[in-house]
Amino acid sequence: MDPPLKPGADPVGQVLYNGNSYAPLYEVVSAVPKRAVSLAQRAVLDRARELQYQCRRCGDRWEEPLGKGRLCVPCGYAMTLWEQHNQAQALARELVADPAVVLLVVDVAPDSLPGAQGVAVVSAHDRQVLYADAAGEYGSSERAAVLDRLDALLSGRRVVEEPDFLGPRNRYPHALLRLPNSGPVVSGRDPLHAWAAPSSNANESLTRIWAGWYGWTDRRSSTRACAPWEWDGGSSMPWSRSLDLVADGLSMASLLHRIADGTEPVWGRAAWTVDGYGVGQPEVSA
C-alpha cells in the first residue's frame, strides 16, 4: 500500500462549492509522504477518542460522544446549576463591595392602614439605613413627595429589590405607582422612575440571587434554580418580611453578605452536592 500523502507546495487553484465554500487544489507531483505517527502518538489519539464517550465528572460511559464539555446529561444539569450558584456569589460580592448599591424595600397596600404603607432604603455595602418613611396614600401629595425623594436618592445608584417571581404584589417597587389590580398609572411620571421598573427588568432581584445560590429545583432534570415557595409552601425564606421595612432591608443586606462570604446554606439536595461527585473534583481519566 502506498504511504498517505500531503501537500508539498502551495495550492495551484481552488474549487467553489455550496455557494460560499472553497477547497484548495494541489499538484499531485508535488505531494510528499505524511509523517508517520509513532506508537506513543497513536496511543494518545486513541485515548482521546475513548474519553469522548466517558463523562469527565462521574466517569460513566455513554454510547454517543459527549462533545466538547464531556459531561453526561445528569452531570450537565448539575454543573449548569453549579454555574448559577457560582454566578450568584460573584454578583453578591460585586454588590456588597459597591458603596453605591442599595436595597429598596417597599410595602404598599392601598386598602390597608396607612401604617402598612412604607419605603426603606438600605446600603448593601455597610448596611446603613439611608431612608425610611411612610409611603403616603396613593394619589396624595405625601406619596408624590416620597417619589420625588426616591428619585433624588436613587439617582445614579444600583438598586436591588426584593421580588422577582415572588409575591405579594404590594412588595414590588412599581406598586408605588399603581392602583390595585391595574396597569401602570398613566400620568407621564412612570418613565422618570427607573428604580420602579416592573418585574426586575432594570434592577437586580434579591430573590433571583438567592435562588441561584440555594440551587432548589422542582425536578432532577431542571437547569433553572427557583425559589422553593413557588411550589412548596413549607419552605421559609432566609430574610424577614414584615411591616418593619428597615428590619427587612437589613435582613436582606445581611443575606447578600452571607452569600458573598459563602456562609449562607444551600439546598440539602442541590444537584451538585447529592450525586457523590461534588464540584471541583479532578477529571476522570481512567
Side-chain angles (χ1 to χ4, degrees):
M1 179 182 294
D2 294 333
L5 302 176
K6 67 177 182 179
D10 293 334
V12 296
Q14 59 186 7
V15 174
L16 172 67
Y17 65 97
N18 291 341
N20 59 357
S21 299
Y22 294 87
L25 299 175
Y26 301 91
E27 288 185 324
V28 175
V29 295
S30 66
V32 297
K34 284 186 176 181
R35 186 179 63 180
V37 178
S38 69
L39 293 177
Q41 289 173 322
R42 177 65 63 187
V44 170
L45 292 172
D46 290 344
R47 181 57 180 160
R49 294 190 187 96
E50 180 73 12
L51 287 176
Q52 284 298 313
Y53 296 84
Q54 185 175 19
C55 177
R56 65 180 173 87
R57 182 169 179 267
C58 69
D60 286 353
R61 284 193 54 80
W62 290 67
E63 294 183 358
E64 299 293 333
L66 296 175
K68 185 177 180 180
R70 278 188 52 224
L71 289 170
C72 65
V73 175
C75 286
Y77 292 140
M79 294 310 293
T80 298
L81 289 165
W82 161 256
E83 289 171 3
Q84 295 175 29
H85 167 85
N86 211 26
Q87 291 166 3
Q89 184 177 45
L91 178 55
R93 288 175 172 171
E94 178 184 327
L95 293 173
V96 300
D98 187 350
V101 173
V102 295
L103 289 149
L104 174 62
V105 191
V106 305
D107 194 340
V108 185
D111 296 329
S112 65
L113 296 174
Q117 302 184 44
V119 182
V121 179
V122 177
S123 168
H125 177 66
D126 56 12
R127 288 173 266 196
Q128 295 297 309
V129 180
L130 305 180
Y131 178 78
D133 206 348
E137 294 184 6
Y138 174 81
S140 68
S141 59
E142 290 81 8
R143 175 67 60 86
V146 168
L147 296 178
D148 291 340
R149 180 72 181 93
L150 291 174
D151 288 340
L153 179 61
L154 302 178
S155 177
R157 289 186 178 272
R158 192 171 177 180
V159 176
V160 180
E161 62 184 48
E162 179 180 12
D164 179 31
F165 39 78
L166 174 68
R169 296 288 177 178
N170 62 310
R171 299 291 286 207
Y172 285 72
H174 66 270
L176 285 163
L177 311 177
R178 296 173 63 140
L179 288 168
N181 303 317
S182 70
V185 177
V186 183
S187 65
R189 291 181 57 88
D190 292 27
L192 302 178
H193 307 301
W195 49 266
S199 304
S200 302
N201 288 334
N203 302 334
E204 306 290 352
S205 164
L206 182 77
T207 309
R208 185 184 303 156
I209 296 169
W210 174 74
W213 170 266
Y214 190 64
W216 185 90
T217 59
D218 63 329
R219 59 189 184 279
R220 184 178 180 183
S221 61
S222 175
T223 57
R224 176 179 177 264
C226 306
W229 50 85
E230 280 191 283
W231 296 278
D232 181 7
S235 299
S236 60
M237 62 191 70
W239 67 92
S240 67
R241 168 177 283 177
S242 66
L243 295 183
D244 185 346
L245 300 187
V246 170
D248 293 353
L250 293 171
S251 176
M252 292 163 60
S254 295
L255 174 63
L256 279 181
H257 279 264
R258 293 197 303 273
I259 293 175
D261 296 339
T263 56
E264 175 64 24
V266 300
W267 185 38
R269 294 169 56 196
W272 65 87
T273 66
V274 298
D275 60 10
Y277 303 111
V279 175
Q281 301 239 347
E283 291 190 5
V284 176
S285 59

